[in-house]
Amino acid sequence: MSISTSAPSMRTTTPAMAVWNNREKIAASRSRLQALYEAVDWANDLDLYQWTQWFAIALEFQPDLIVELGRGMGNSTCVFTEAANQLGDCRVVSLCLSPDWDATVKHRVAQVVPDSWFQKLETRTEEILTTDVQALIGDSQRVLVLWDAHGFDMAEFVLGGLLPTLEHRHSFVVMHDISDGRYSRINPSYQGKRLWRGTREGFNREGHSRLYLNYLDTAVEQTIAIVDFISRNGLTLESADHSLQTELSSERISELQNSLEAKFFRLDGHWFYFSLNEKTKGEEIYFPNFQSEIVIQERQARSHVDNDHAQVEQLQGEVNHLKTLLAQAQADTGMANLLKKAWRKYKAFRSR
Ligand SMILES: C[S@@+](CC[C@H](N)C(=O)[O-])C[C@H]1O[C@@H](n2cnc3c(N)ncnc32)[C@H](O)[C@@H]1O
């Protein structure tokens, strides 16, 4: 399969240029984006200005397929489905284990869009690691990937399972949950916290620091995996913040600020992006090995260890409680013996 040379591929997609080139469409879509944002009602995972940025990226890159890895409550699902509707020749496949979309969010979204809007969207509630990638990508030529499901297992799937399929197509990968310390004012202090040790027991374990890799400020493992991947392959991992803050002239920034309200346009993004197309045709790209059966088996083994660990901790707690009760009982017995002794002495004294 070879890279097609249709018009969109001739221009490099960057967040700043995406927002600038599509400013009129963004302005015209504000009420729709806002209505969807309110229907999702989960700004925690993506704020409105980030909706605008991803919407612009999709319009600019003009994918024929958008693969969403991690739907959660569905912020990105709505952004990309709205973009797919506006692009026309584009569909969204959303993969996630979370049932929230079908259970609650979809019904709210249906209040603000026509039924036909959903024709561009296929939501699958399933394990991403076992996805048949060839079938997923099919003969799509321009694939936008949202990498918003976390952990090393997922990183191995993306880098070793999904990306090799995209090697000879047009690709653009958006990575959420990484901030750019050059622009987001990192506090370098550990603030008395322990080292970052991964997210196995939660997104950002309490009492543990975030992870700073040079200027990458994150709490998710795939940041390590992507730095490894781009380093091996001489690719560029760039931030939305850097693009927005360096590619737009002050006149353009003012124009965007005037034409879009502040909630739709900001110069920070807190996401990064890369594309395999930075490599010239014929240059080798190195991918890690990915075998879903092995990753799943290892994950099950880890979960058994975690369960055993939790049980040991629970037993340890019970043993400590019993020890306290025993010590108390011993103290009570000691006190009772003392009282008995005193009582005997008192009786002996009285009977003299
Ligand atoms: C941060 S949320 C996604 C947020 C979403 N993109 C948005 O904009 O609202 C990550 C989601 O990835 C899902 N996820 C993580 N690992 C997964 C896996 N192995 N298979 C399927 N879903 C997974 C989680 O269930 C969670 O719902």
Side-chain angles (χ1 to χ4, degrees), residues 45 70-72 74-76 96-98 126-128 148-149 154:
D45 277 345
R71 177 172 61 248
N75 288 282
S76 45
C96 194
L97 280 169
S98 167
E126 62 186 32
E127 172 55 64
I128 294 172
D148 200 9
M154 189 58 59

Side-chain angles (χ1 to χ4, degrees), residues 82-251:
E82 178 59 28
N85 271 278
Q86 295 202 18
L87 285 166
D89 187 17
C90 177
R91 66 198 173 91
V92 179
V93 179
S94 165
L95 306 174
C96 194
L97 280 169
S98 167
D100 287 329
W101 175 265
D102 286 323
T104 54
V105 187
K106 185 179 176 184
H107 308 292
R108 298 201 299 263
V109 170
Q111 308 294 309
V112 299
V113 293
D115 290 350
S116 59
W117 186 89
F118 292 96
Q119 285 168 10
K120 294 287 179 189
L121 172 64
E122 180 190 347
T123 50
R124 300 186 197 163
T125 304
E126 62 186 32
E127 172 55 64
I128 294 172
L129 303 174
T130 54
T131 301
D132 178 344
V133 168
Q134 297 294 338
L136 172 70
I137 303 300
D139 58 6
S140 304
Q141 288 297 308
R142 301 185 62 80
V143 183
L144 173 61
V145 176
L146 171 67
W147 182 352
D148 200 9
H150 308 301
F152 277 120
D153 291 345
M154 189 58 59
E156 206 160 89
F157 165 81
V158 174
L159 300 175
L162 179 60
L163 290 192
T165 318
L166 304 183
E167 187 176 1
H168 301 298
R169 309 171 202 237
H170 294 283
S171 62
F172 191 92
V173 182
V174 169
M175 298 187 72
H176 195 215
D177 293 310
I178 314 176
S179 295
D180 188 332
R182 292 171 295 182
Y183 303 98
S184 64
R185 276 194 232 110
I186 288 180
N187 176 355
S189 163
Y190 287 100
Q191 298 170 297
K193 293 181 177 174
R194 298 179 59 197
L195 282 184
W196 181 87
R197 285 163 186 259
T199 58
R200 227 165 114 197
E201 289 107 35
F203 193 76
N204 193 15
R205 284 195 273 165
E206 212 177 305
H208 291 253
S209 311
R210 281 172 70 82
L211 176 69
Y212 295 149
L213 294 176
N214 199 348
Y215 53 79
L216 304 183
D217 164 13
T218 189
V220 290
E221 284 94 347
Q222 71 261 28
T223 311
I224 295 173
I226 190 59
V227 170
D228 175 42
F229 180 78
I230 57 132
S231 305
R232 287 168 190 272
N233 286 297
L235 290 167
T236 310
L237 178 70
E238 199 42 273
S239 73
D241 307 53
H242 185 69
S243 167
L244 290 160
Q245 307 222 20
T246 59
E247 293 171 38
L248 294 171
S249 64
S250 48
E251 291 77 27

